[in-house]
Amino acid sequence: MENENTAMEPFGMKDKLGYMFGDFGNDFTFILSSSFMLKFYTDVMGVPAAVVGLLMMAARFVDAVTDVTMGQIVDRSRPTKDGKFKPWIKRMCGPVAVSSFLIYQSAFADMSYGFRIVWMVITYILWGSIFYTSINIPYGSMASAISADPKHRAELSTWRTIGATLAGLVIGVGTPVAAYVVVDGNTVLSGPRMTGIAGVFSILAIVCYLLCFRLVRERIPVEANDQKLEIGKLLKSLATNRALLGIIAAAILLLLGMLGMQGMAGYVFPNYYGSAAAQSSSAMTGSIVMLVICAPLAARLSARFGKKELSVVSCAFGSAVYLLCLLIKPQNPYVYVGFYTLAYVGLGFFNTVIWAMITDVIDDAEIKNGVREDGTIYSVYSFARKLGQAFSSGMIGGLLSLIGYTQATAFDPEITSGIFNLSCIIPAVGLGAVALALLFIYPLNKARVEANVAELTRRRGEAGR
């Protein structure tokens, strides 16, 4: 494998585009789930919001096993001619796409309540806890095998965010326009249209995964971890890793804020403002600021000020924007879109550099423990992101039920007013808490990251002599 690596073309645009397509494929199913699954099951399938949210939270207990198990499988797998991580993308792209499509089967809306619940549970577990895990863990771990250069890894993080943003643009802009219909003057979600949209996105996800497999090259040999697995030692190592604990806390809170924004958009725009077009516009403007402002500037600003330092300031800004929106309570949907867009600038910088921050955490752990465990650490982080997704959905579902939201009350004035308040409070609290978690828990500031990179370069130089 080393001989093959020496003959490989150097790191370049193909790798960046390929890595971008990987998260493009991931988010065709992930963003669809976080933005529309709760809405689909409450409004089309007639399942109470609290029940859907409870499923999303309960599934994370399954992920506690499947994520770490997949991380161990990846760390202990032998490299192939295509590398150590890439083969999983090709193997699992079909199952993850099909299982996502099965979640949105509106033809079962008239089946018994018990059948609808069982179908929702089985398809969601298959998609999120098994197949999505089996492709996302190796994909995320692959960055360290593409290049050892910290600058290249930061670029991969940026291009990964671009891929996620493009998926969010397609889903966020296209889905509201295509999926909503007006019935008796109310803007409602069409079940059959959602089923067709989910099918199209599943096909596009497979195409993106295969492009990732084709374009990316693994240059850094990552041999199998043959050390005996000691669960107690592993748990102790993870539990005492302050950098990992800090980024986990920030990730969970980021997902609460970001997915709270996206999830509540499916209610505040059609129910409070009566405008699916404004929801589409919010997704478009959020994606534009990610592509035009956050992606080009994040690497430069983090290189100058530090990834942690940039993220603390930007998330605090996003929180302040939503607090101001709550106080003003704009009646024009496009003024609300403006607040949404400004807040997205705040969370966008952190969301752009967070993948490079994971590599910093992996480097820090290698310095402390003398063992590189990309798959295991990334799987723990991935599990934390799923917790954030679950808590967000569970929280939204529970709070919607608390204010009395049902199919029958969805457009009552007191309910829609509560929806607006939640749409501001959830991201304001989430983003503010991210800033505090990074400030007081996460230790990897600019100086320490640079010291870690220098130390690992020294160690590898000595090992190569």
Side-chain angles (χ1 to χ4, degrees), residues 235-437:
L235 292 176
K236 182 179 178 181
S237 172
L238 295 175
T240 57
N241 187 333
R242 185 180 166 191
L244 179 60
L245 295 177
I247 203 68
I248 283 175
I252 291 174
L253 294 166
L254 171 69
L255 268 293
L256 286 176
M258 184 172 69
L259 298 184
M261 289 173 62
Q262 295 173 354
M264 287 306 302
Y267 294 91
V268 71
F269 285 111
N271 295 75
Y272 182 75
Y273 287 113
S275 177
Q279 182 180 353
S280 179
S281 297
S282 71
M284 177 176 290
T285 57
S287 298
I288 288 173
V289 299
M290 287 290 288
L291 294 172
V292 175
I293 299 175
C294 298
L297 294 179
R300 297 178 190 174
L301 291 174
S302 61
R304 180 174 180 180
F305 300 107
K307 293 185 280 291
K308 169 183 173 175
E309 293 82 352
L310 171 65
S311 300
V312 169
V313 173
S314 63
C315 287
F317 170 77
S319 177
V321 167
Y322 262 110
L323 288 175
L324 183 61
C325 183
L326 179 64
L327 291 174
I328 294 175
K329 201 168 187 176
Q331 296 304 302
N332 186 305
Y334 290 97
V335 176
Y336 183 91
V337 170
F339 281 104
Y340 183 100
T341 305
L342 281 174
Y344 226 88
V345 175
L347 73 87
F349 280 115
F350 178 46
N351 202 36
T352 299
V353 302
I354 193 170
W355 307 109
M357 294 172 78
I358 294 302
T359 307
D360 293 341
V361 172
I362 293 171
D363 287 347
D364 192 64
E366 182 181 1
I367 285 177
K368 291 179 178 177
N369 305 324
V371 178
R372 192 163 188 92
E373 296 178 305
D374 300 74
T376 299
I377 290 177
Y378 185 83
S379 68
V380 174
Y381 171 71
S382 174
F383 171 59
R385 285 184 65 87
K386 288 186 179 180
L387 281 179
Q389 180 195 18
F391 289 156
S392 173
S393 300
M395 177 182 60
I396 292 171
L399 291 174
L400 285 172
S401 294
L402 189 64
I403 66 173
Y405 182 92
T406 65
Q407 283 178 303
T409 65
F411 294 92
D412 292 351
E414 63 272 20
I415 301 301
T416 58
S417 179
I419 286 172
F420 173 85
N421 291 337
L422 291 177
S423 75
C424 295
I425 293 171
I426 292 172
V429 172
L431 294 176
V434 170
L436 293 175

Side-chain angles (χ1 to χ4, degrees), residues 36-369:
F36 290 97
M37 180 180 164
L38 179 62
K39 183 75 172 176
F40 176 81
Y41 271 91
T42 56
D43 291 17
V44 175
M45 304 297 280
V47 178
V51 174
V52 184
L54 181 62
L55 164 65
M56 291 180 166
M57 294 182 70
R60 303 295 76 87
F61 290 99
V62 180
D63 292 346
V65 176
T66 59
D67 277 26
V68 177
T69 299
M70 191 64 203
Q72 283 290 307
I73 291 172
V74 169
D75 279 340
R76 295 172 183 278
S77 63
R78 302 287 178 186
T80 70
K81 64 180 180 66
D82 293 315
K84 181 173 182 174
F85 305 103
K86 274 178 44 174
W88 292 101
I89 296 174
K90 188 175 183 180
R91 291 168 194 155
M92 304 310 300
C93 64
V96 74
V98 171
S99 58
S100 173
F101 171 65
L102 292 177
I103 292 174
Y104 306 93
Q105 296 305 301
S106 60
F108 296 147
D110 294 327
M111 299 293 286
S112 69
Y113 181 73
F115 178 90
R116 283 175 281 150
I117 294 295
V118 170
W119 181 264
M120 178 180 70
V121 170
I122 291 175
T123 55
Y124 184 73
I125 293 293
L126 280 176
W127 167 72
S129 299
I130 299 176
F131 297 132
Y132 184 82
T133 289
S134 65
I135 201 168
N136 187 51
I137 299 299
Y139 165 73
S141 304
M142 184 170 61
S144 61
I146 297 174
S147 174
D149 189 326
K151 180 183 176 182
H152 293 165
R153 291 178 178 179
E155 290 172 346
L156 289 174
S157 179
T158 297
W159 281 90
R160 175 172 183 165
T161 302
I162 291 173
T165 303
L166 291 174
L169 182 64
V170 173
I171 295 169
V173 174
T175 302
V177 172
Y180 286 104
V181 294
V182 177
V183 179
D184 297 328
N186 293 323
T187 304
V188 299
L189 191 69
S190 166
R193 291 190 180 190
M194 269 302 300
T195 302
I197 289 167
V200 170
F201 289 160
S202 290
I203 293 171
L204 292 175
I206 293 175
V207 172
C208 288
Y209 282 133
L210 293 178
L211 285 170
C212 175
F213 178 84
R214 177 84 180 206
L215 294 174
V216 168
R217 294 290 180 270
E218 294 185 26
R219 295 172 180 80
I220 311 302
V222 181
E223 299 301 327
N225 180 1
D226 294 324
Q227 293 186 2
K228 181 181 178 181
L229 177 61
E230 299 180 30
I231 298 296
K233 183 178 179 182
L234 174 64
L235 292 176
K236 182 179 178 181
S237 172
L238 295 175
T240 57
N241 187 333
R242 185 180 166 191
L244 179 60
L245 295 177
I247 203 68
I248 283 175
I252 291 174
L253 294 166
L254 171 69
L255 268 293
L256 286 176
M258 184 172 69
L259 298 184
M261 289 173 62
Q262 295 173 354
M264 287 306 302
Y267 294 91
V268 71
F269 285 111
N271 295 75
Y272 182 75
Y273 287 113
S275 177
Q279 182 180 353
S280 179
S281 297
S282 71
M284 177 176 290
T285 57
S287 298
I288 288 173
V289 299
M290 287 290 288
L291 294 172
V292 175
I293 299 175
C294 298
L297 294 179
R300 297 178 190 174
L301 291 174
S302 61
R304 180 174 180 180
F305 300 107
K307 293 185 280 291
K308 169 183 173 175
E309 293 82 352
L310 171 65
S311 300
V312 169
V313 173
S314 63
C315 287
F317 170 77
S319 177
V321 167
Y322 262 110
L323 288 175
L324 183 61
C325 183
L326 179 64
L327 291 174
I328 294 175
K329 201 168 187 176
Q331 296 304 302
N332 186 305
Y334 290 97
V335 176
Y336 183 91
V337 170
F339 281 104
Y340 183 100
T341 305
L342 281 174
Y344 226 88
V345 175
L347 73 87
F349 280 115
F350 178 46
N351 202 36
T352 299
V353 302
I354 193 170
W355 307 109
M357 294 172 78
I358 294 302
T359 307
D360 293 341
V361 172
I362 293 171
D363 287 347
D364 192 64
E366 182 181 1
I367 285 177
K368 291 179 178 177
N369 305 324

Side-chain angles (χ1 to χ4, degrees), residues 242-243 364 367-368 443-453:
R242 185 180 166 191
D364 192 64
I367 285 177
K368 291 179 178 177
L444 301 184
N445 57 23
K446 184 175 186 288
R448 182 159 165 183
V449 168
E450 291 176 348
N452 284 349
V453 170

